[in-house]
Amino acid sequence: LTSQDLAGEHLLVTAGPTRERIDPVRYLSNDSSGLMGYALARAARQRGAQVTLVSGPTALPAPLGVNLRRVESAAQMLDAVLATLPAATLVIKAAAVADYRPCQMAAQKLKKQQMAAPSLALEKTPDILSQIAACKGDRLVVGFAAETERLLEHARDKLERKGLDLIVANDVTQAGAGFECATNIVQILHADGRCEALPCLTKWAVAHALLDRLVALRCQRAVD
Ligand code: C5P
């Protein structure tokens, strides 16, 4: 029997990519499969947490016993996250939110006969994680940093800038890590400066390792 060490906690986890519409049939997105976030949702449920999974478009089935809210864009993900946040005690943002979106969505499909190649004006999407961290209260908040260079430097910067308790850093160019891969090679950075390098593990094992760290932080807080 799995230990119920997350009983009494409500985990809010985000997963998958977001899609930012250009027109009714086209969008900007990325290669995120959602595997890591879905693994976290299932693992936390197994350990007794109540779980809300806010998911961008993925091909994955809904995990049993998890409250699944499907969204498409970063704006919709922000709304769903803010609606769930008051009830949440743990927040893990495994979603690969698009950083930019078209300033405007065309109401009709853009037709190539009618114009020269269009240029796409982009604006930043809201940073959901920074907004959560700004009003986190007693919640533990975890982010992910998928990088292609200077991994630890970028991850530490994000942890500090976004006010996180932990950040999971992975180099998405490494074989056995990153998007659409069943395994991941991660380093877990703590707010107190610690950095733990984990071996190549399945995303399921990474999920449990991360939840172990959250349980430990909870216990530490209870003592402090
Ligand atoms: O995109 P970036 O590398 O800054 O993402 C790091 C973390 O911030 C991830 O956990 C991601 O889910 C979160 N994020 C977010 N909203 C954004 C961009 C990123 O919540 N607009």
Side-chain angles (χ1 to χ4, degrees):
L1 193 72
T2 317
S3 126
Q4 297 293 291
D5 55 1
L6 289 174
E9 302 280 357
H10 184 158
L11 172 67
L12 165 59
V13 55
T14 68
T18 66
R19 284 181 186 169
E20 311 301 328
R21 290 267 156 206
I22 297 169
D23 71 14
V25 298
R26 301 185 181 94
Y27 51 80
L28 299 175
S29 193
N30 60 62
D31 284 334
S32 171
S33 62
L35 283 170
M36 191 64 243
Y38 278 62
L40 279 160
R42 283 175 46 222
R45 178 75 199 123
Q46 199 184 57
R47 291 167 71 153
Q50 193 183 330
V51 179
T52 301
L53 172 60
V54 176
S55 174
T58 72
L60 301 173
L64 273 183
V66 164
N67 173 21
L68 175 62
R69 300 187 63 163
R70 291 188 197 274
V71 298
E72 186 173 279
S73 65
Q76 290 168 358
M77 186 170 278
L78 175 64
D79 287 347
V81 164
L82 291 181
T84 307
L85 191 62
T89 59
L90 306 171
V91 183
I92 306 180
K93 285 233 68 227
V97 183
D99 289 325
Y100 297 97
R101 66 184 170 207
C103 296
Q104 279 185 325
M105 176 188 147
Q108 304 299 333
K109 183 182 169 191
L110 299 174
K111 304 299 286 180
K112 67 181 168 214
Q113 297 92 325
Q114 286 167 10
M115 60 177 108
S119 56
L120 205 52
L122 300 178
E123 64 187 12
K124 280 194 172 167
T125 56
D127 193 312
I128 303 168
L129 195 48
S130 299
Q131 290 198 31
I132 296 169
C135 57
K136 68 196 275 227
D138 289 335
R139 296 177 191 87
L140 294 172
V141 179
V142 182
F144 273 71
E147 306 289 344
T148 57
E149 55 166 2
R150 289 155 64 200
L151 176 64
L152 290 182
E153 193 185 322
H154 283 140
R156 175 67 59 194
D157 173 65
K158 278 175 196 175
L159 179 138
E160 285 168 10
R161 199 160 28 86
K162 302 192 187 206
L164 309 177
D165 295 288
L166 296 175
I167 194 157
V168 184
N170 68 307
D171 178 348
V172 288
T173 64
Q174 249 183 309
F179 293 147
E180 286 184 35
C181 190
T183 55
N184 213 349
I185 306 166
V186 305
Q187 302 188 60
I188 301 178
L189 281 72
H190 294 245
D192 65 8
R194 272 180 299 147
C195 174
E196 305 175 81
L198 305 189
C200 183
L201 296 170
T202 63
K203 288 186 175 175
W204 179 246
V206 173
H208 275 295
L210 186 55
L211 295 174
D212 290 345
R213 303 309 183 276
L214 288 177
V215 169
L217 282 177
R218 260 287 176 263
C219 293
Q220 194 184 318
R221 286 224 182 146
V223 175
D224 289 347

